[in-house]
Amino acid sequence: MRIVIAPDKFAGTLSAVEAAEAVASGWRDVHPGADTRTVPLSDGGPGFVEVLHAAIGGKLLTAEVTGPLGAPVRADLLLDGETAYVESALACGLHLVPRADRDPARTTTRGVGELIARAVRAGARTVVVGMGGSATNDGGAGMLAALGAAPADRLGGGGGALAGLGAADLAPARAAVEGVRLIAATDVDNPLLGEHGASAVFGPQKGAGSEQVRALDAALADFADATDPDRALRAEPGAGAAGGLGYGLLALGGTVESGVARVLEAVGLDALAEGADLVVTGEGSFDFQSLRGKLPHGVARTAARHGVPCVVTAGAVSADPAEAAAAGVTAAYSLVESAGSTEAAMSRSAEELRALAASIARTWPDTGGAKG
């Protein structure tokens, strides 16, 4: 029996690598002879570089860059030939900011720009920026400042510093990446501004209250007016990704691509799924958003193309069963339910996920089959 185990991270508890190993261990507890292929995945958020390095090799380069609150942080980028992969969360991730200090009016994407500059100096002609998990809401202004855009103090000062910005010069930043293809890898399709924009949708996750959300949206509007006189880029799908970092990359001539699709292609999931008996994927919360382009959806669709059943393991499951089935999901299993409580699922995630995988394996004998 060949099982392909391709999960995302379980946010706050397990990395994708840890989740994949927990599922594989549980499966082998029941079927010691099973061929378990672990394929940790990322949609462009945390784990992006780690997952791609495991899949395609390449050279890891470590740089010290400006963190979201201005203190230096160490971050890896992956260089594979003339293509570099940058994980924005390593430079401006929410996990880098203590809960008490979370303030998207102050946090900056400057470190992302420094990573891009490092990649270009290393010879990259394509830079893929994985998006997700950011602590920022500055529209990518900090990234632009790190690449030479002016005024550097206003652009690099966080989302709040953009309020009232009258003009900005992006020419030096564009010159710094001239001839380089920039790709924002994300499956978020939000625009920069408005009720579906970066501030309104993602600001509260980063510590913004309702009044600050409105102030940040107004500040991003000022920034957009100064850098997007034709009013075209601000409405582009993906411009609102990572607190508007997508907008900053678009302003440099970049494009937005599916992070899920890029990772699935890089790891060769199509070839792995062909001939498999079962594909197992997972994430922290399998909900309605999961079926709208997130990683489990992409994995399930890949499995379905090859006629292979796909099951989801998740911390919590709230997705509509009919919608999940239509997307190619054969069954979904909740870690909270199997562990008996949220506390147990969170505090013993690896052990409980291993036990859940073993329980699933007992209903999938060597001949293959459906959920019992």
Side-chain angles (χ1 to χ4, degrees), residues 242-328:
L245 178 60
Y247 172 83
L249 290 166
L250 288 168
L252 291 176
T255 58
V256 175
E257 294 186 7
S258 167
V260 168
R262 180 164 281 274
V263 171
L264 295 187
E265 180 181 359
V267 304
L269 189 67
D270 250 313
L272 290 168
E274 186 175 4
D277 295 290
L278 178 67
V279 173
V280 181
T281 187
E283 63 178 345
S285 178
F286 184 60
D287 54 27
F288 75 97
Q289 293 182 343
S290 304
L291 302 174
R292 285 157 178 79
K294 290 184 69 177
L295 195 143
H297 182 253
V299 174
R301 287 176 63 87
T302 300
R305 282 199 299 272
H306 297 281
V308 178
C310 176
V311 301
V312 173
T313 58
V317 174
S318 60
D320 180 77
E323 288 189 16

Side-chain angles (χ1 to χ4, degrees), residues 71 134 252 354:
S134 81
L252 291 176
R354 179 172 181 167

Side-chain angles (χ1 to χ4, degrees), residues 126-131 181-185 249 254-257 262:
T126 298
V127 180
V128 182
V129 182
M131 317 277 270
R181 184 184 178 207
L182 297 174
I183 298 171
L249 290 166
T255 58
V256 175
E257 294 186 7
R262 180 164 281 274

